[in-house]
Amino acid sequence: MLTLSDVHDAAERRLDPVHYDFFAGGAGEERTVAANTEAFDRYRLVPRVLRGVGRRGLDVELLGQALSMPVLVSPTAFHRLAHPDGEVATARAAAAARTVMILSMAATRTVEDVAATGVRLWFQLFVQPDRAFTERLVRRAEKAGCGALVVTVDAPLFGRRDRDVRNGFDDLPAGLACENLREAPTGPPRPITWDPELTWADLAWVCGLTPLPVLVKGILHPDDAHLAVEHGAGGIIVSNHGGRQLDGATATLDALTDVVDAVAGRVPVLLDGGVRRGTDVVTALALGATAVGIGRPVVWGLAADGTAGVRHVLELLRGELDRAMALCGADRVAALGPDLVDIGRCHR
Ligand SMILES: Cc1cc2nc3c(=O)[nH]c(=O)nc-3n(C[C@H](O)[C@H](O)[C@H](O)COP(=O)(O)O)c2cc1C
Ligand SMILES: CC(C)CC(=O)C(=O)O
């Protein structure tokens, strides 16, 4: 498996086709799923030369945590559909790679079991109409040692994924559950409820609830990025949920520059969606992202070969990023700037 695309193919061969469709699919025509990767095809790099890049560092500091590279694991649901050990297998790989894993609220392993792997862990939250329940979840994540909360804001309701509707896939199979939604160890898990009434006041409420930094995931509009910071966000994740919510939403890479300008360095800006190559990481960082997240490639690694498969995905990207940085004349992440991107030509 020489590329992330090879890992995808291996996963597709191994997964139940209905579960493959759940992981691979997006909303509607999947225009935004396609747009995310197509955007990276459109941007071109303008490398610098003769810059002495024999010693290179990929490490970054993010919200007080040291990461060995600017690539982290975005939250994806239901890892036990891909591997019996589920999110614990994923976490072992992220721990070995010394990067952050964002655990989905819809994880099929408990946050305590995942944290026990020693991974740098953040917890993703959909704010629930039952605020007392939401607060209990936040306390549980804090107690388990999570270093940040990630509040996903692009889901006032659930995007319609046509593949899942056609396949009749609307629930986890017997024996699997969202383990962090049980109120008691053997009690039934509560269902996730989408809350279309959420407003910025609710974000401010979450930010006031916890000493942890709160990242807001699902921002595309620069005005929303500004509002998020005003309401207490400690970080922004430019994301369209991997094209699973609003079909037709802009590619995240196209949204990045305006968001970075609106945030004006007040908090870190991350991006996910369509990152499949080390050069994609270079492009996003050059345009102002502090780090990028990967969603589906992690699931493909997990399905293909458990922890080793996820590790392989992370190390493939690390190797590609290192090579791309050298070829761009950058010896460290901070050396990546917008001058390396041919912005004028990328929208032709
Ligand atoms: C199968 C799957 C499940 C996901 N589950 C969640 C989730 O529970 N919470 C969330 O905030 N985002 C979720 N996402 C969105 C990812 O966090 C991320 O934004 C997206 O996958 C990035 O795009 P990529 O898959 O092209 O890397 C999910 C994405 C996929 C593909
Ligand atoms: C199934 C959901 C709870 C997780 C999600 O956000 C997604 O599938 O995109």
Side-chain angles (χ1 to χ4, degrees):
M1 298 192 290
L2 291 179
T3 66
L4 264 50
S5 171
D6 293 342
V7 181
H8 162 270
D9 294 349
E12 186 173 11
R13 285 193 295 272
R14 292 189 79 134
L15 281 164
D16 175 320
V18 171
H19 299 159
Y20 170 79
D21 272 350
F22 166 70
F23 290 128
E29 290 292 323
E30 302 187 353
R31 291 192 174 118
T32 297
V33 177
N36 280 343
T37 49
E38 278 164 15
F40 283 105
D41 290 342
R42 234 186 303 117
Y43 285 61
R44 294 286 177 267
L45 296 165
V46 187
R48 300 298 304 269
V49 298
L50 298 176
R51 289 195 152 188
V53 290
R55 285 165 57 108
R56 297 177 296 281
L58 270 54
D59 51 300
V60 286
E61 200 185 298
L62 190 53
L63 299 170
Q65 280 178 312
L67 277 65
S68 72
M69 62 173 168
V71 178
L72 50 79
V73 174
S74 280
T76 49
F78 303 168
H79 285 197
R80 286 190 69 199
L81 290 178
H83 189 276
D85 294 337
E87 289 78 4
V88 167
T90 311
R92 289 193 184 110
R98 289 179 295 121
T99 193
V100 161
M101 171 172 171
I102 308 176
L103 186 70
S104 166
M105 177 165 156
T108 46
R109 297 293 305 265
T110 64
V111 62
E112 294 81 10
D113 283 352
V114 176
T117 63
V119 71
R120 296 156 176 79
L121 195 61
W122 298 354
F123 190 81
Q124 179 265 326
L125 192 69
F126 297 106
V127 174
Q128 297 297 288
D130 182 340
R131 298 293 190 270
F133 174 53
T134 306
E135 179 169 356
R136 285 196 293 281
L137 266 175
V138 171
R139 300 288 168 244
R140 186 171 171 185
E142 286 170 346
K143 198 166 163 221
C146 292
L149 283 184
V150 173
V151 175
T152 300
V153 294
D154 56 16
L157 43 74
F158 198 52
R160 197 178 108 129
R161 294 95 192 250
D162 293 354
R163 296 198 209 197
D164 295 341
V165 177
R166 272 200 200 95
N167 292 332
F169 179 77
D170 58 4
D171 207 356
L172 282 166
L176 303 189
C178 291
E179 292 297 338
N180 298 294
L181 303 181
R182 294 185 201 275
E183 293 272 47
T186 53
R190 305 199 19 166
I192 295 181
T193 305
W194 315 105
D195 186 357
E197 303 290 348
L198 288 177
T199 69
W200 291 106
D202 298 300
L203 175 67
W205 172 75
V206 178
C207 294
L209 203 61
T210 175
L212 295 177
V214 175
L215 294 97
V216 179
K217 175 172 180 283
I219 297 288
L220 294 170
H221 199 295
D223 294 351
D224 280 345
H226 178 71
L227 282 166
V229 178
E230 296 270 289
H231 286 85
I236 303 287
I237 307 183
V238 175
S239 175
N240 52 33
H241 214 112
R244 295 162 74 85
Q245 289 296 106
L246 174 66
D247 191 33
T250 186
T252 51
L253 186 64
D254 288 329
L256 178 63
T257 304
D258 287 347
V259 169
V260 167
D261 288 348
V263 169
R266 288 174 289 173
V267 299
V269 176
L270 280 54
L271 168 146
D272 73 19
V275 174
R276 302 293 180 264
R277 285 284 190 177
T279 44
D280 300 343
V281 184
V282 165
T283 304
L285 266 59
L287 293 179
T290 302
V292 299
I294 50 170
R296 293 180 184 84
V298 168
V299 174
W300 305 145
L302 184 64
D305 197 14
T307 295
V310 179
R311 187 81 211 271
H312 189 56
V313 162
L314 292 168
E315 295 312 321
L316 275 175
L317 272 178
R318 188 199 305 281
E320 290 184 2
L321 171 60
D322 178 58
R323 184 178 301 270
M325 280 176 50
L327 291 170
C328 282
D331 63 349
R332 69 212 127 82
V333 167
L336 298 169
D339 61 302
L340 289 173
V341 183
D342 186 358
I343 302 202
R345 292 174 204 268
C346 62
H347 291 294
R348 282 186 189 162

